[in-house]
């Protein structure tokens, strides 16, 4: 069994797969290292042979988690590292080491699945877009606040905006003009995400006509599905690229 980890700024996404056929035996999202250890340990008949990780955390935080995993499960952790080129994709950043590893692996995974030009729209804590041409050239991308950051900033800097997560969920039953603060904020943020997605698709169309594939990934991908009706929703796109960057037998 192989433990796969996507360590973001706010959460850790994890899953355990069989090494032979990649069948998923368990997984989830946790908010701390200790919660991860506890969650993985609950899997029945757990026999980990290795671990691969992508992390946008600091080097110190990543090293600390690797040490915990080795101590608790007696496994070596393979951490994906930045490279200039892999699997036919060429890193498009002027300083290739500065491209976020989650974006790089998403681009690798998307190009592998699309076998051609592709646009990756990743909607998590931040909203990100990356463009990969048909010849594998990563053309760069865009980053802006995602739904959690937009919501947090409005709550933090506007005294009268106070509501709970249950109210936020109910507010998204419609995108009609909000008749309460929670509706106005939540629906406004969704419309901004949808506008972001539509703009990226327009950019891709200007570059490639109709010869490209759109991938939606990240926790808030379903919120923009109507704005990208032909997109492929691949929740584990980063893990596709991670398996390519860190092959384990």
């Amino acid at each position: 069994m192989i433990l796969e980890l996507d360590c973001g700024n706010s959460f850790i996404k994890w899953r355990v797969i069989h090494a032979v056929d990649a069948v998923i035996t368990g997984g989830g999202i946790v908010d701390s290292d200790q919660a991860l250890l506890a969650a993985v340990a609950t899997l029945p008949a757990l026999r980990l042979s290795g671990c691969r990780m992508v992390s946008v955390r600091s080097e110190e935080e990543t090293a600390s988690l690797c040490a915990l995993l080795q101590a608790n499960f007696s496994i070596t952790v393979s951490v994906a590292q930045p490279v200039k080129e892999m699997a036919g994709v060429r890193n498009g950043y002027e300083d290739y080491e500065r491209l976020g590893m989650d974006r790089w692996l998403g681009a690798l995974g998307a190009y592998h699945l699309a076998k051609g030009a592709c646009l990756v729209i990743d909607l998590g804590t931040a909203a990100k877009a990356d463009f990969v041409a048909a010849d594998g050239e990563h053309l760069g991308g865009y980053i802006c606040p995602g739904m959690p950051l937009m919501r947090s900033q409005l709550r933090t800097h506007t005294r009268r905006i106070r509501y709970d997560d249950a109210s936020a969920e109910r507010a998204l039953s419609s995108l009609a003009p909000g008749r309460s603060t929670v509706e106005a904020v939540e629906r406004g943020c969704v419309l901004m995400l949808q506008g972001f997605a539509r703009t990226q698709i327009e950019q891709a169309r200007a570059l490639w006509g109709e010869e490209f594939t759109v991938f939606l990934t990240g926790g808030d991908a379903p919120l923009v599905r109507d704005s990208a009706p032909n997109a492929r929703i691949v929740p584990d796109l980063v893990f596709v690229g991670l398996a390519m960057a860190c092959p384990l037998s």
Side-chain angles (χ1 to χ4, degrees), residues 84-92 104 107-108 111-112 114-118 131-140 207-208 211-212:
K84 290 184 177 180
E85 184 173 350
M86 177 176 286
V89 181
R90 296 180 298 283
N91 192 313
W104 173 239
L108 285 181
Y111 189 73
H112 171 74
K115 303 294 190 292
C118 52
F131 297 75
V132 183
D135 64 357
E137 183 72 23
H138 172 242
L139 303 180
L207 287 167
W208 305 313
E211 299 299 318
F212 65 96

Side-chain angles (χ1 to χ4, degrees), residues 13 62-63 66 74 98 118 124 126 134 145 169 222:
K13 186 175 184 180
T62 300
C66 289
S74 300
R98 300 292 294 175
C118 52
E169 185 174 349

Side-chain angles (χ1 to χ4, degrees), residues 89-142:
V89 181
R90 296 180 298 283
N91 192 313
Y93 259 31
E94 294 176 358
D95 179 356
Y96 74 92
E97 293 182 326
R98 300 292 294 175
L99 176 62
M101 286 304 300
D102 55 338
R103 292 174 59 198
W104 173 239
L105 295 184
L108 285 181
Y111 189 73
H112 171 74
L113 295 175
K115 303 294 190 292
C118 52
L119 165 64
V120 180
I121 301 176
D122 184 350
L123 302 173
T125 302
K128 295 162 285 189
D130 282 282
F131 297 75
V132 183
D135 64 357
E137 183 72 23
H138 172 242
L139 303 180
Y142 299 93

Side-chain angles (χ1 to χ4, degrees), residues 191-205:
L191 290 178
M192 289 190 72
L193 279 189
Q194 291 182 346
F196 177 79
R198 283 193 294 268
T199 299
Q200 307 314 309
I201 294 171
E202 290 170 5
Q203 291 261 56
R205 192 169 286 127

Side-chain angles (χ1 to χ4, degrees), residues 176-221:
R179 297 174 64 87
S180 66
T181 299
V182 61
E183 289 180 353
V185 169
E186 291 296 311
R187 296 173 188 180
C189 290
V190 169
L191 290 178
M192 289 190 72
L193 279 189
Q194 291 182 346
F196 177 79
R198 283 193 294 268
T199 299
Q200 307 314 309
I201 294 171
E202 290 170 5
Q203 291 261 56
R205 192 169 286 127
L207 287 167
W208 305 313
E210 299 298 329
E211 299 299 318
F212 65 96
T213 304
V214 180
F215 290 90
L216 292 180
T217 190
D220 286 326

Side-chain angles (χ1 to χ4, degrees), residues 33 59-69:
D33 294 358
E59 292 183 6
E60 294 76 13
E61 291 172 318
T62 300
S64 175
L65 177 55
C66 289
L68 283 173
L69 291 167

